[in-house]
Amino acid sequence: MLSFTFTFLFGAISAFAAPGTVGRGCGNHPSIGQVAKAEAQYVKELASQGLTPESFGNFTTAAATKNIKVYWHVIRSGNSLSQGNIPNSQITNQISVLNKAYAYCGYSFTLAGTDWTTNTNWFNLAGPDSTYQTAMKSALRKGGAKDLNIYSVGFTSGTGEGLLGYATFPSDYAGNPRDDGVVMLYSSVPGGSMAPFNLGYTAVHEVGHWCGLYHTFQGGCSGSGDQVSDTPAEASPASGCPTWRDTCSSMPGVDPVHNYMDYSDDGCMNEFTYGQCTRMNGQLSTYRGL
């Protein structure tokens, strides 16, 4: 089912919170009407090309065929690891996790550049809709619509306090190119200190939004959910790894707790579905030219 945590259209953020109470949490919740409007625009854009959302199902699963350049911006408040000064080795390992997760859908990621910026305000206060994240992105973003910019920060206070990450949606790019990208907690990278969210799947989840995916629990047990037919309906986000969970028992399938677009612990996540790959392909082709 569909998860959408962006403010239409989509200005534009999916927020993914660290475990302040139970598991992960979502900061933004668009209305059914906002999602419907966004999807109607997507279908309209495809129709103008003689296409439908199902037109993008022919992708290569054996080997990644479309490469995405990654520009990583390390935001730190000082020189220690606890101040966000993550080493190259953790960034390299994060790219490897992304490559493993997205290979099934036919995508690979190459680190095109890394920079380090010491800015206490950006590290602590960069968050959704804040002036700090706007300044940070305006100063540092590189490349075009096809290029993924990742900003690792601390989320210690302000609008981002407690978050694991947030991301912009492909359809946001045309309206605000400088805002495009993923902002994530520095300690959620592989080997970071944010257990049980330190295997690198925060980035996988947020990049999923950057590629056009919604959460698996979007819309709950009714409606068209995440616009993906092969992710079972889910009433609410999962926490931990409840493999027995079935919150929409009147509908086919148990909850997709292993899906990268749910809120399970990192150790529980291990899949995208064929339908999610199809949606990614359509979104990335339509809005990012990939």
Side-chain angles (χ1 to χ4, degrees):
M1 297 287 288
L2 169 150
S3 155
F4 189 101
T5 58
F6 300 85
T7 307
F8 180 78
L9 173 38
F10 288 100
I13 302 162
S14 155
F16 193 33
T21 52
V22 178
R24 310 183 193 264
C26 178
N28 296 351
H29 304 277
S31 68
I32 293 173
Q34 287 173 324
V35 173
K37 187 174 181 180
E39 290 307 307
Q41 180 62 34
Y42 176 48
V43 170
K44 182 179 179 180
E45 295 203 31
L46 292 182
S48 70
Q49 306 170 57
L51 300 170
T52 69
E54 291 72 35
S55 300
F56 298 90
N58 295 321
F59 57 89
T60 302
T61 60
T65 57
K66 295 182 180 180
N67 184 257
I68 296 171
K69 291 191 295 185
V70 179
Y71 294 97
W72 195 294
H73 310 286
V74 177
I75 311 301
R76 60 191 180 184
S77 61
N79 293 324
S80 69
L81 182 59
S82 64
Q83 293 174 307
N85 192 30
I86 59 175
N88 280 315
S89 57
Q90 287 189 318
I91 296 171
T92 299
N93 289 341
Q94 180 65 81
I95 298 298
S96 295
V97 171
L98 287 171
N99 279 324
K100 183 177 180 180
Y102 283 86
Y104 172 67
C105 296
Y107 293 95
S108 65
F109 298 83
T110 299
L111 187 62
T114 308
D115 53 66
W116 285 261
T117 300
T118 303
N119 188 309
T120 300
N121 283 336
W122 292 358
F123 177 77
N124 291 322
L125 296 165
D129 302 320
S130 72
T131 57
Y132 301 102
Q133 74 107 31
T134 299
M136 175 183 73
K137 290 179 175 180
S138 296
L140 298 177
R141 194 185 186 283
K142 297 179 180 179
K146 299 179 180 181
D147 302 314
L148 172 61
N149 281 248
I150 296 178
Y151 307 82
S152 54
V153 301
F155 290 137
T156 63
S157 55
T159 63
E161 184 174 0
L163 292 182
L164 283 178
Y166 63 95
T168 56
F169 205 70
S171 58
D172 293 327
Y173 183 83
N176 192 357
R178 299 302 299 180
D179 191 49
D180 187 62
V182 165
V183 184
M184 58 175 283
L185 183 66
Y186 77 94
S187 54
S188 70
V189 296
S193 60
M194 197 57 185
F197 309 114
N198 61 345
L199 301 181
Y201 294 118
T202 290
V204 172
H205 178 103
E206 294 304 337
V207 172
H209 291 311
W210 187 86
C211 291
L213 296 184
Y214 301 142
H215 295 131
T216 53
F217 50 85
Q218 174 66 33
C221 300
S222 61
S224 54
D226 61 356
Q227 309 297 322
V228 176
S229 62
D230 61 358
T231 53
E234 187 176 22
S236 59
S239 179
C241 193
T243 55
W244 45 266
R245 195 171 186 257
D246 187 6
T247 56
C248 296
S249 57
S250 64
M251 303 180 74
V254 297
D255 290 1
V257 300
H258 298 298
N259 198 280
Y260 294 125
M261 302 312 294
D262 205 342
Y263 274 13
S264 306
D265 292 352
D266 275 18
C268 191
M269 293 179 163
N270 59 28
E271 66 178 4
F272 286 122
T273 67
Y274 185 94
Q276 286 175 314
C277 294
T278 299
R279 180 172 173 83
M280 270 191 234
N281 291 341
Q283 288 276 310
L284 292 175
S285 174
T286 301
Y287 296 114
R288 297 197 184 280
L290 277 164

